[in-house]
């Protein structure tokens, strides 16, 4: 009887044991399975780090732990940073986006990071022109080197709005420019002698003056035409009156003079 009961209980015990084992493994593996392929969490110098370096990403991953302090997204194929791309990372201190294919940064992309972020690396991307509004009120030190920049007023405003990372300013070089002689030169060297925004303002002012002068000339031309046309009509009418009998002519002349006046 005891042996038979043992045989009956053995499969039940084994089943419960296996079920518990699967649940334990599932609870351990589930968080890792949620991470994008090639990404993994770690701890470096007491800071929670999330690395996605060279993970063949084409966009900023969503499943990043919200207590991350350091985020590495370098050496991927990310081309666009949308609004609120990092809004769920309020404790982020360092963000590395270098060596990607970023061409556009939407306004508000770094929204929510202004309070803590102190390092932002955007070097070695494909940035040509970015509005200063894309960085909001960031206080982080930004690396913008090794991008194919268009040197113009927009870049000048951006450089004045952000704090550049140490030793990175020399890597901001004019790949193209509104003035051909600046191509290939370091941007900070160029703006030491050229104020792109002031040149743009002067060009705009001249265009406005030319437009205003054109309208003024049109108004004057119309007034001259109007006066001459009225004078011609008045002359013809007076000649007509002269051909009338004297009594009728005086009456018509009085009416004409009143009308002209």
């Amino acid at each position: 009887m005891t042996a038979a009961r043992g045989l009956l209980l053995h499969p039940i015990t084994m089943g419960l044991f296996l079920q518990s084992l699967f649940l334990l493994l599932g609870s351990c593996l589930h968080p890792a399975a949620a991470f994008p392929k090639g990404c993994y969490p770690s701890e470096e110098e007491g800071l929670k780090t999330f690395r996605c370096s060279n993970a063949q990403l084409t966009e900023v991953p969503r499943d990043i732990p919200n207590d991350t302090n350091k985020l590495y997204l370098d050496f991927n194929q990310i081309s666009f940073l949308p609004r609120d791309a990092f809004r769920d990372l309020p404790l982020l201190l360092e963000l590395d986006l270098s060596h990607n294919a970023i061409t556009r940064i939407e306004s508000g992309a770094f929204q929510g990071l202004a309070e803590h972020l102190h390092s932002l690396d955007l070097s070695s991307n494909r940035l040509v022109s970015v509005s200063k509004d894309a960085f909001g009120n960031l206080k982080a030190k930004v690396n913008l080197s090794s991008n194919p920049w268009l040197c113009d007023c927009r870049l000048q405003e951006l450089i004045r709005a952000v704090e550049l990372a140490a030793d990175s300013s020399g890597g901001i070089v004019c790949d193209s420019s509104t003035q051909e002689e600046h191509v290939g030169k370091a941007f900070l060297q160029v703006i030491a002698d050229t104020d792109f925004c002031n040149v743009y303002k002067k060009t705009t002012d001249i265009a406005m003056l030319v437009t205003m002068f054109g309208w003024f000339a049109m108004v004057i031309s119309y007034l001259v035409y109007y006066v001459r046309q009225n004078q011609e009509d008045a002359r013809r009418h007076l000649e007509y009156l002269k051909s009338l009998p004297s009594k009728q002519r005086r009456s018509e002349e009085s009416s004409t003079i009143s009308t002209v006046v």
Side-chain angles (χ1 to χ4, degrees), residues 130-220:
V130 179
S131 170
K132 64 178 181 179
D133 298 331
F135 293 85
N137 297 319
L138 275 186
K139 299 174 184 177
K141 294 181 179 179
V142 185
N143 188 342
L144 299 172
S145 62
S146 301
N147 282 279
W149 290 110
L150 165 63
C151 291
D152 60 358
C153 179
R154 203 178 194 199
L155 180 57
Q156 181 173 313
E157 289 180 338
L158 172 61
I159 296 300
R160 290 176 176 175
V162 300
E163 183 179 353
L164 296 177
D167 302 323
S168 69
S169 60
I172 304 174
V173 177
C174 301
D175 187 72
S176 58
S177 175
T178 53
Q179 300 181 35
E180 190 65 27
E181 64 269 21
H182 297 148
V183 175
K185 295 181 180 179
F187 185 66
L188 291 190
Q189 176 188 347
V190 170
I191 59 175
D193 302 318
T194 304
D195 188 339
F196 285 93
C197 296
N198 190 41
V199 170
Y200 175 77
K201 185 176 182 300
K202 286 181 178 179
T203 304
T204 304
D205 290 344
I206 292 172
M208 288 181 64
L209 286 173
V210 170
T211 303
M212 290 176 64
F213 178 78
W215 279 105
F216 182 73
M218 289 177 62
V219 171
I220 295 298

Side-chain angles (χ1 to χ4, degrees), residues 4-77:
R5 185 178 296 177
L7 290 172
L8 290 172
L9 291 176
H10 181 69
I12 297 174
T13 304
M14 287 298 296
L16 291 174
F17 173 74
L18 290 173
Q19 184 178 2
S20 300
L21 181 61
F22 287 141
L23 288 173
L24 180 62
L25 289 173
S27 63
C28 293
L29 294 175
H30 179 71
F35 297 148
K37 184 179 179 181
C39 300
Y40 61 92
S42 64
E43 190 164 325
E44 300 177 7
E45 300 177 350
L47 296 175
K48 293 188 176 180
T49 303
F50 195 73
R51 287 190 175 274
C52 288
S53 302
N54 200 20
Q56 299 182 349
L57 299 175
T58 57
E59 61 182 14
V60 177
R62 298 179 181 179
D63 301 314
I64 302 173
N66 57 16
D67 59 350
T68 298
N69 302 128
K70 299 170 70 175
L71 176 59
Y72 292 88
L73 298 173
D74 52 319
F75 290 95
N76 285 289
Q77 290 90 46

